[in-house]
Amino acid sequence: ACPQALRVPSELLTQSVLLSHRATCHPRAEDLQGHRWATFSREEICAYQSQPTAEMWQRCARRVTEAIERVVEFAKRLRGFLELSQHDQIVLLKAGAMEVVLVRMCRAFDAATRTVLFEGKLAGPELFRSLGCPELVASIFDLAQGLSALRCSESELGLLSALLLVNAGRPWLQDRPRVARLQGHLDVAFRVLLRRTRREGLLARLPSPGRLRALCSQHLEQVQAFRRLHPGVVSAAFPPLYRELFA
Amino acid sequence: QEKHRILHKLLQNGNS
């Protein structure tokens, strides 16, 4: 389905990654252009803020899980990913899926109002008050705001996401050279894209790997803190995939 | 794979 002009392997890879990214993102790229999402009203915000902590955590865990499932589907569509061993596919997804979810968030971030799309409308950080983890929420919004300011194209986000997943530096990989080879192809494709579009300056402005890792660690810490305060809720009421990855 | 049955199942599931 690619035009004849795209014979260079890295261009083909970029197209393939873009297709996988578009097919597995929500909201879809078409819905981002000139979006007409409403902002939550005062009453709606109060309603969310009045929810018991355990309920709000469960609600957010469900939304995160839906996003993770889309990232798993993205990974499966990445050329070469399914050729890795099952073990390494699991290692890479366990380590990288949340990072991709966090990066993808910037697509549905409205910089003018500092809100993010949540359950169909735009929400500011205060909506999540009942979670009881204001620093984590603030860090996530800061990340989304910073990424949003970079005005990344869907191709850039697709390749960035692929590189977050296909990371030969993750611990416990069985066949590190194989992952490194795939990572190398994606890395070249990304650099070729940036050169072609004169966006090489993007590299220095991206969040550092350490920052994303710290954010994911913060999330894990908050899950543990929540479990201590609300024993049994995670086991009884959280999505199984969320428990498997984070609890 | 034993500790990640759901992830394993999602990866096996051929719905791409």
Side-chain angles (χ1 to χ4, degrees), chain A residues 49 57 132 172:
Chain A
Q49 290 174 333
W57 263 89
W172 307 110

Side-chain angles (χ1 to χ4, degrees), chain B residues 2 4-5 7-16:
Chain B
E2 271 179 35
H4 302 93
R5 287 188 187 159
L7 197 46
H8 178 74
K9 194 170 177 208
L10 283 174
L11 287 164
Q12 296 278 58
N13 182 7
N15 62 356
S16 292

Side-chain angles (χ1 to χ4, degrees), chain A residues 25-70:
Chain A
C25 265
H26 173 78
R28 300 170 311 164
E30 311 84 89
D31 300 330
L32 293 175
Q33 302 271 359
H35 70 80
R36 281 187 292 277
W37 300 315
T39 311
F40 281 110
S41 67
R42 241 316 7 110
E43 293 75 29
E44 287 169 320
I45 294 171
C46 281
Y48 277 108
Q49 290 174 333
S50 306
Q51 290 216 336
T53 298
E55 269 181 48
M56 192 60 177
W57 263 89
Q58 195 185 341
R59 182 186 285 270
C60 291
R62 287 195 179 130
R63 301 294 83 79
V64 166
T65 304
E66 286 157 7
I68 298 263
E69 284 165 349
R70 291 190 286 269

